[in-house]
Amino acid sequence: MQSFAHGAEREMDTRRSGPEPSTANDGRVPIRAFYAEEPVLDESPLSAWHRERLRLGPPFRPKAMVYTGIGTPEDTARRLKLLFDVGAESLLLAWDLPAQLGLDPDHELAYAQVGRAGVSCATLDDWRTIASGVDLRRIDSIGTLANSVGHIGTSMVRTVLEERQAAQTKLVMQNDPLKEFTARGTEICTPEQALRIACDCVAQAVDMDWPGYAITVCSNHYDVAGAGPLTATGLALANAVAYVDELVERGYDVRAVLSKMMFFLNERSDIFVQASLFRTTRVLWSDLVAKRYGVPVRDQPVVAMMGYAHGLESPDEPLVNVPRVTLSVTGSMLGGVDYLCAAGYDEALRTPSADAAAMAVRTLQVVGMEQGVTSSLDPLSGSAKIQAIDEHVYTTVDAVVADILERGGGVECIHSGYVAGLIDQGRGTREGQLDRGERTWVGVNAVRADAHRGLFKGQSQRELDFEQTEHEVRARLQAHRRARHTTSLRRALVAVEGAAAGTVNLLPPTREALLEGATVQELMEATMSGFTRGSSS
Amino acid sequence: MSATRRVLVAKVGLDGHDVGARLVAQRLRDAGFETIYLGKRNRSADIAATAVQEDADVIGISCLSGGLGHFAVMLTEALEHSGAPIPVLTGGIAEPEEVEAMLRAGIRRHFGPGTPLDEVVGAFADAAATMCDR
């Protein structure tokens, strides 16, 4: 597989057009790495981005990330081996909902939810098994969602990386619990406690100088919940301010914090708006950081961006979702995304089957490696159309951020219901546009060919017996519990509770408890117990 | 449209993606239904008890994370146990065999992703009409 960072050692003029033009196309047309006409300005956020990426040289391709996880740890290990065999470079592991909510698979609320929306992962041993499907030293990065249980997920990921001598592999943790309260729904504790957990993860990453991103602040889920992509981005930036403010309050250097933070943006209806959203958010966030924290652009780390390419996916003709996702991948890459997942063509039907997940990786590769999409950096720069869209995106998103900050910030606006109200205002926009025929949905509200839907089914099918999955992981968990040393486990959980009750970072005791065999639920119960004790003392 | 038609909408399982459930609740309200949205993470027994207590004419449940069939069948059983034959409609992602099992267990209709909201509202109206005719 082609290496992305092969140009790191190249000498090139980063202020002009990059290396010699490539003529690797049928017409031997010279294609430059960069087309900006004006000298790069040190104080421009886009220029800072250009300068850093040009240093690496073309292709300007994001890492091919997979978001996957299903069934038992062994099922997911097999899936991961397949996806990395076909060239995935980065893993964002999907935990099932019980794990994301701090519940073990035998909790009464976990029934019929185990291993479905992600992999069942209750212990460090489970994570070790999952990661056995991946060569951790060769991949670019690894992470999981673990938003409300971020200290547990982050500790699991880092522990296994270190056990496997892969400590330099980057983190791509989501760890953004504030958006859960209104957009995604796995909140467990109060917004303030959630903020504490997320910031403990970032603080530990700074303290230990862990490579990669300990937090990924998301607009995606706000958009999906109904806010629309621009309001969603404003909400995400306001949350990012809440996290950074908290860490600055703790005494951390802003630049160190920013170097551990990534954004996850989303737009799925227009590839030009999608491209604009990525490049404009770079500018907006950089301006915000300069203004709020007094860090000039030249001293800011270049913002990392993640995306998840979706289109207007149809469950009726799933194979037709492949070109939809391909276009969305294209828009994201034109906008300069750094990490990109692509939706499986069957995501409207089920957790992607193996063929759909592999096709998603191939889609990322084809767009990233063929037909010139990534041969020039920021190729839409200079377009009158993109400039006009950029201006609209900037103004709109900036207004949302200013509004939230004026109302006390992201946490306060969760409590006041303001964030939920903004989402309510936007909900149904897409459906209304489709109902009124303002937007076209091929095969649904235009060019329907119901008699021929079979042509577009693909091979996707249910692959697991989830009742069997639940049975297996519960039996595994019971055996795990019997094998533990209860005295040392109890001591380790008391340490987690003590940290939660005070201000000591949660991650070190969490890691120790994991090594003693603590389960996700036991750790979350100890954490919540500590939070309660701390708030009442 | 009669204001006495009352609908209970709820999320089941642990799924927190509620844009679909909220949209349906909003459209039902706009169509004249008295709509109660119970929110997320509801147990089937609690939904049945609330529906009986609130004198609901129709129940709509949603889950996108899998397991919808499990919760839907439990709900129909809980309603049967309560002696309250309230029609139940489901929405979300479910395997075809799971949908068949739900329909066999007495679920009135199932709607997958992308179903036009007018169609969903029409089905609730039909289901409510059967209750009012009783």
Side-chain angles (χ1 to χ4, degrees), chain A residues 290-308:
Chain A
K291 195 171 159 186
R292 188 173 185 89
Y293 304 107
V295 181
V297 171
R298 63 175 174 275
D299 293 335
Q300 295 177 20
V302 169
V303 184
M305 298 280 181
M306 180 202 150
Y308 199 136

Side-chain angles (χ1 to χ4, degrees), chain A residues 15-26:
Chain A
R15 288 179 172 267
R16 297 291 178 188
S17 61
E20 287 299 307
S22 167
T23 55
N25 55 75
D26 289 350

